[in-house]
Amino acid sequence: MLVRLTYPQGEAGAIVLPKAKSKLLKLIESVPDAFVVTGQDGRVLTANAAFLEMTQLASEEQAVGEQLERWLGQPGVEMEVLTANLRQRGPVRLFATTMRGEFGATVDVEISAVSVMNGTGPASASPSATSAPASPRRPASGPRRRARSSS
């Protein structure tokens, strides 16, 4: 079960998070697995540094508002399959596909994704939590990276 908590607004409209939540957000930002949150329409709401590295983007601002399928597998195919599975079966694990970077790099990944209601509608985390891309599949002898998505 995912519970959404709203915290009182701090000065100048800033949201003040408890120390534990602040640490969790810092952890998600720094994990080696790619993590992305999308809205119901598949547009990126937020992404961590590992996702930006995988998609060859310099800043989160370049990803926000873009369709996740821009970097995911075959355009119009994998994202549709992923979202259909989320709607029909719930959380998705080990969804194999590829990620395409802005400069042509491709990497095999496995996606774990969950769809949750965030108070204003569904969101996805690691394709709220929102949809997130899977981690690259590793060769038998190499290290493994995981990308996570939420819807």
Side-chain angles (χ1 to χ4, degrees):
M1 171 186 281
L2 178 66
V3 178
R4 180 175 184 239
L5 301 174
T6 304
Y7 298 100
Q9 297 285 325
E11 297 208 19
I15 295 176
V16 178
L17 295 175
K19 190 174 186 178
K21 292 295 178 189
S22 179
K23 285 182 180 181
L24 178 62
L25 292 175
K26 288 179 184 176
L27 174 73
I28 290 172
E29 178 57 34
S30 63
V31 295
D33 295 342
F35 188 93
V36 61
V37 176
T38 66
Q40 182 178 3
D41 60 358
R43 292 187 183 278
V44 173
L45 300 174
T46 188
N48 73 353
F51 177 84
L52 299 175
E53 180 181 337
M54 193 177 288
T55 56
Q56 300 177 309
L57 297 173
S59 70
E60 184 180 18
E61 289 75 24
Q62 292 176 305
V64 171
E66 297 295 329
Q67 290 286 335
L68 178 59
E69 76 175 337
R70 173 178 175 175
W71 303 285
L72 185 65
Q74 297 175 3
V77 177
E78 273 89 348
M79 191 65 179
E80 288 298 320
V81 172
L82 179 60
T83 55
N85 280 317
L86 280 170
R87 280 193 304 271
Q88 296 169 4
R89 298 188 179 107
V92 173
R93 292 174 187 84
L94 304 176
F95 181 87
T97 188
T98 58
M99 292 289 295
R100 293 181 311 281
E102 289 294 303
F103 301 110
T106 61
V107 62
D108 290 334
V109 296
E110 292 172 339
I111 295 177
S112 294
V114 63
S115 180
V116 299
M117 297 301 286
N118 67 3
T120 59
S124 299
S126 188
S128 154
T130 300
S131 175
S135 51
R137 288 183 295 211
R138 67 180 153 127
S141 61
R144 182 171 185 167
R145 293 181 60 184
R146 295 195 91 191
R148 304 209 183 246
S149 141
S150 299
S151 300

